[in-house]
C-alpha cells in the first residue's frame, strides 16, 4: 500500500469513527514514530506487567516452545504479526539460532519506522538470522504475500495484541488467520489473563502519565498528518476496567463543548462537554474463555505456556 493510500485510509477511518455513535478512533493509528516510542516506554513501566510476564515465559520456556513448534527440528517461517520492536521475540530468536534450527523470521508491522528499528537491531545482534521484513497491514499481507510462502508457517501474535479486539472481532481475526493457514501451521499467541482488577487498571493508568501521553498522541497525529486542530488541553485520558467483560477500555473525553476541524476530510466535528471518544480496548481472558474462542475459530490448543503468577499465557494452537 502506498503512503498516499495509507494517509487517505487514515482520513477515512478517522471520519468514520468521529461520525459514528458512540465516537471511536482505531487503536491501530497509535503507532506513529512518537507512538512507537511511547509504547516502548509503556512496556518498560513496572505497572505494565504484561511485558515482564512474557519475557519470563520466553526466558524460562524457550526450549519447550521450540520442541513444540519444530519437532525433529523441521524448518519453518516464523511470521510475527504486529511485531513492534520485537524485544521479547529476540529472546526466542536467540535461542532458536543457538539450537541450529533452520528458520526465517518475518516480522510484519503497519509501522515502517518500528520495522526499520527492528531490522537494524537484528543486524547488530544476530547477523546470521534470515529475516524478511513485511511492512503493512497484516490482513492485506496475509492475502498478498504470506499465503504464498513456501514451507511451514508458525505465526506469532504476542504482547496481548489480540486483546485490542473485542470478542466478536477477535473471533473474526482468528477465523481469517485460520483460513490462511495450512494444516501443519501453528499459532503462538500471547494473551493477558483475568486477575486482580486493580493490577489491570494500573497498567493503563500509570502514575507518570505515560499511558495518558500515548492516548493523547493519537490527537497529535491527527493534527500533524490530517491537518486537524485538536487542542489537547481540552481532552482527558480516561481508562476503566470491567471485570465481567474483561475489557480495559481507554477513552479521550472532551472537557468542554468544542468543534474540531480536519483539513483532510474538510469537515468539522462537534463534541459535547464530557463526551467520550473510545480509543482502545485491551481484553483479558480466562483460560477457559480462551480455549472456547480457539474452538469457535477453528483451532485446537496444543499447550499453554504460563508465567509463575499465572498473569499471562503464550498459548500454542493448531488449525483443526
Ligand atoms: C500492542 S503492540 C505489540 C507489539 C509486539 N507484538 C509486542 O508484543 O511488544 C501492537 C503492534 O501491532 C502493530 N499493528 C497494529 N495493527 C496492525 C495491523 N493491522 N497490521 C500490522 N501491524 C499492526 C502496531 O504497529 C504495533 O507495533
Amino acid at each position: 500500500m502506498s503512503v498516499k493510500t495509507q494517509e487517505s485510509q487514515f482520513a477515512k477511518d478517522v471520519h468514520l469513527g468521529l461520525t459514528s455513535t458512540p465516537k471511536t478512533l482505531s487503536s491501530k493509528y497509535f503507532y506513529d514514530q512518537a507512538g512507537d516510542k511511547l509504547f516502548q516506554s509503556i512496556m518498560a513501566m513496572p505497572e505494565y506487567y504484561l511485558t515482564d510476564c512474557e519475557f519470563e515465559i520466553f526466558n524460562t520456556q524457550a526450549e519447550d516452545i521450540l520442541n513444540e513448534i519444530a519437532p525433529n527440528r523441521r524448518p519453518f517461517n516464523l511470521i510475527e504479526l504486529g511485531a513492534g520492536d520485537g524485544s521479547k521475540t529476540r529472546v526466542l530468536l536467540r535461542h532458536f539460532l543457538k539450537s541450529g534450527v533452520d528458520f526465517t523470521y518475518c516480522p510484519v508491522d503497519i509501522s515502517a519506522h518500528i520495522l526499520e528499528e527492528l531490522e537494524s537491531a537484528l543486524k547488530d545482534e544476530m547477523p546470521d538470522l534470515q529475516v524478511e521484513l513485511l511492512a503493512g497491514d497484516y490482513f492485506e499481507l496475509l492475502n498478498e504475500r504470506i499465503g504464498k510462502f513456501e514451507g511451514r508457517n508458525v505465526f506469532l501474535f504476542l504482547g496481548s495484541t489480540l486483546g485490542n479486539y473485542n470478542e466478536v472481532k477477535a473471533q473474526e481475526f482468528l477465523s481469517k488467520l485460520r483460513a490462511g493457514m495450512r494444516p501443519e501451521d501453528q499459532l503462538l499467541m500471547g494473551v493477558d489473563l483475568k486477575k486482580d482488577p486493580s493490577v489491570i487498571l494500573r497498567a493503563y493508568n500509570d502514575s507518570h502519565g505515560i499511558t495518558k501521553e500515548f492516548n493523547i498522541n493519537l490527537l497529535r497525529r491527527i493534527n500533524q498528518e490530517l491537518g486537524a486542530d485538536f487542542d489537547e488541553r481540552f481532552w482527558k485520558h480516561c481508562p476503566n476496567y470491567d471485570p465481567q467483560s474483561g475489557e480495559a477500555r481507554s477513552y479521550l473525553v472532551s472537557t468542554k463543548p468544542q468543534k474540531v476541524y480536519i483539513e483532510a476530510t474538510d469537515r468539522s466535528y462537534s463534541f459535547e462537554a464530557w463526551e467520550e471518544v473510545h480509543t482502545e480496548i485491551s481484553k483479558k481472558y480466562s483460560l477457559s474463555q480462551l480455549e472456547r474462542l480457539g474452538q469457535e475459530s477453528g483451532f485446537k490448543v496444543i499447550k499453554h505456556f504460563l508465567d509463575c503468577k499465572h498473569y499471562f499465557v503464550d498459548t500454542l494452537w493448531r488449525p483443526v
Side-chain angles (χ1 to χ4, degrees), residues 28 31 39 43 80 82-84 88 109-110 136-138 158-159 161:
K28 81 175 175 189
Y31 303 93
F39 188 68
M43 287 200 296
E80 179 161 12
K88 287 159 291 170
D109 208 288
I110 201 161
D137 186 284
Y138 31 64
L158 305 181
T161 306

Side-chain angles (χ1 to χ4, degrees), residues 18 212 215-224 227-237 252-262 269 271:
L18 295 184
K212 172 187 159 207
N215 205 5
I216 294 274
N217 182 61
L218 188 50
L219 302 183
R220 290 183 200 138
R221 181 175 186 188
I222 298 172
N223 283 350
Q224 282 157 12
D229 57 5
F230 278 103
D231 185 336
E232 62 184 79
R233 288 173 305 164
F234 305 119
W235 292 90
K236 234 180 125 126
H237 167 60
L252 287 164
V253 172
S254 170
T255 61
K256 61 167 201 174
Q258 55 181 314
K259 268 195 177 144
V260 172
Y261 175 70
I262 302 184
Y269 302 83
F271 301 89

Side-chain angles (χ1 to χ4, degrees), residues 234-279:
F234 305 119
W235 292 90
K236 234 180 125 126
H237 167 60
C238 292
N240 65 33
Y241 175 65
D242 169 25
Q244 190 173 44
S245 64
E247 290 178 1
R249 295 176 141 257
S250 292
Y251 296 91
L252 287 164
V253 172
S254 170
T255 61
K256 61 167 201 174
Q258 55 181 314
K259 268 195 177 144
V260 172
Y261 175 70
I262 302 184
E263 203 180 297
T265 61
D266 194 19
R267 280 234 1 209
S268 287
Y269 302 83
S270 298
F271 301 89
E272 290 174 16
W274 307 113
E275 183 175 357
E276 80 293 348
V277 179
H278 177 234
T279 53

